[in-house]
Amino acid sequence: MTTILETDGERLLVAVRALLADKGIASMAEIAERIAITDRASPAQGARMVARAWTDPEYRALMLQDGARAAEAMGVPMRGAPPLGVLENTEAVHNLVVCTLCSCYPRAVLGYPPFWFKSAAYRARAVRDPRGLLAEWGTVLPETMKVRIVDSTADYRWMVLPRRPEGTDGWSAEQLAAIVREGDMIGVTVPTA
Amino acid sequence: MTSGDFAPGASVRVRDDWPETRGPVHIRTPHYVRGKPGRVVRRLGEYPNPEDLAFARPAPRVPLYHVAFDPAAIWPDAKGGDELLIEIYAHWLEASP
């Protein structure tokens, strides 16, 4: 007899799906819907939220108060996803998100975490030497600016609302969204025009 | 206030406890803040205790707090003025005078 770890993945998937359906835990349609949602999730979703927050003060307020509702307002399905908190970078504070315990990540709005986010080096150094780590990303912050390292340890997921860069006056939300990268929303980088 | 209720601004200390030395556990409190002083920033709601969920035990809901720590109180070479912000469950926090 083979163990679950040796079982062919396809056969295992078919068996688990059938069990979930038999036990009334999740239907085939629900599983298919969830896979489709996961596949659609990408940093482009978060970037659209950031661009709207930069151009719409009311939306920015909603995003900072309840990230999940702000995501839903942009058509990102959040049912079943953990609560989403949004941390705003300001002149005084720069936020950096890490999960030292594993790889907690706001997948609903940023998609799969980049490989380095899960690395032991990033997880250890983000909390121990945040400014050294940021400098390696080319992000050098003024000495007077506070770095707030957010260790995502529990039920929340966190994303950063970066500062809108100089030289983007009059840009459309689409133009703005195009310059927002995943690193900007984790806090290792800052967007530039 | 009942035990485990902390207002924003409250001074707290993370329990200096190491359950992983006593058997299999699933803990969401990082090692580096055990026994360290912090300040409650906000309450983040109540969630089924992951320490029970991980073992498929009945999981009572426990309050979760966002707690700020001074990195210089944890690591001697940390830069003063920066901040660590961490989600900590109420049963890991004790009031600190």
Side-chain angles (χ1 to χ4, degrees):
Chain A
M1 199 175 137
T2 53
T3 73
I4 196 167
L5 293 175
E6 295 162 343
T7 305
D8 169 49
E10 282 294 317
R11 284 184 58 212
L12 187 60
L13 180 63
V14 168
V16 171
R17 274 187 183 176
L19 279 170
L20 290 171
D22 279 356
K23 289 174 178 275
I25 295 170
S27 69
M28 299 284 183
E30 284 169 328
I31 294 170
E33 184 199 357
R34 179 58 53 185
I35 291 171
I37 289 171
T38 305
D39 285 346
R40 272 201 305 276
S42 83
Q45 305 276 39
R48 286 197 302 129
M49 293 169 65
V50 168
R52 183 160 169 200
W54 283 345
T55 52
D56 176 349
E58 224 169 283
Y59 183 79
R60 176 179 154 276
L62 170 68
M63 189 163 157
L64 295 176
Q65 199 226 330
D66 186 338
R69 273 179 56 212
E72 280 179 337
M74 295 297 276
V76 179
M78 296 297 284
R79 191 170 61 87
L84 175 66
V86 179
L87 304 144
E88 184 182 36
N89 284 351
T90 67
E91 279 179 25
V93 182
H94 178 89
N95 293 284
L96 176 67
V97 179
V98 61
C99 171
T100 59
L101 296 174
C102 46
S103 57
C104 296
Y105 193 72
R107 291 179 183 227
V109 290
L110 297 189
Y112 288 106
F115 71 94
W116 52 261
F117 188 82
K118 302 192 249 185
S119 70
Y122 176 75
R123 287 155 51 199
R125 293 191 62 217
V127 289
R128 183 75 199 252
D129 178 25
R131 285 174 189 265
L133 179 143
L134 286 169
E136 286 170 25
W137 281 90
T139 305
V140 179
L141 304 170
E143 281 289 306
T144 50
M145 186 182 278
K146 173 196 281 196
V147 175
R148 180 191 290 131
I149 308 108
V150 181
D151 192 353
S152 183
T153 51
D155 287 80
Y156 256 75
R157 297 295 177 269
W158 302 98
M159 73 174 270
V160 174
L161 171 57
R163 295 165 74 196
R164 180 172 173 166
E166 304 278 335
T168 58
D169 288 352
W171 285 28
S172 69
E174 289 74 22
Q175 284 173 296
L176 290 168
I179 60 167
V180 180
R181 300 158 297 176
E182 77 187 341
D184 305 336
M185 294 177 283
I186 298 169
V188 289
T189 52
V190 295
T192 51
Chain B
M1 266 204 262
T2 57
S3 165
D5 273 351
F6 299 101
S11 291
V12 291
R13 186 174 293 274
V14 179
R15 282 176 39 223
D16 192 5
D17 190 18
W18 300 85
E20 52 270 74
T21 62
R22 301 191 290 270
V25 287
H26 175 75
I27 294 174
R28 306 305 306 177
T29 304
H31 293 180
Y32 65 86
V33 290
R34 309 267 177 97
K36 301 296 182 188
R39 176 179 48 83
V40 169
V41 175
R42 67 178 77 84
R43 187 175 167 126
L44 293 169
E46 292 186 355
Y47 302 90
N49 189 345
E51 295 167 20
D52 294 317
L53 273 186
F55 292 91
R57 298 189 292 250
R61 295 174 79 82
V62 284
L64 181 67
Y65 291 94
H66 231 182
V67 181
F69 298 87
D70 176 2
I74 300 172
W75 293 298
D77 52 349
K79 181 183 172 302
D82 287 346
E83 180 182 277
L84 275 158
L85 191 57
I86 310 181
E87 292 151 79
I88 309 274
Y89 292 98
H91 59 280
W92 274 93
L93 297 173
E94 50 198 25
S96 176

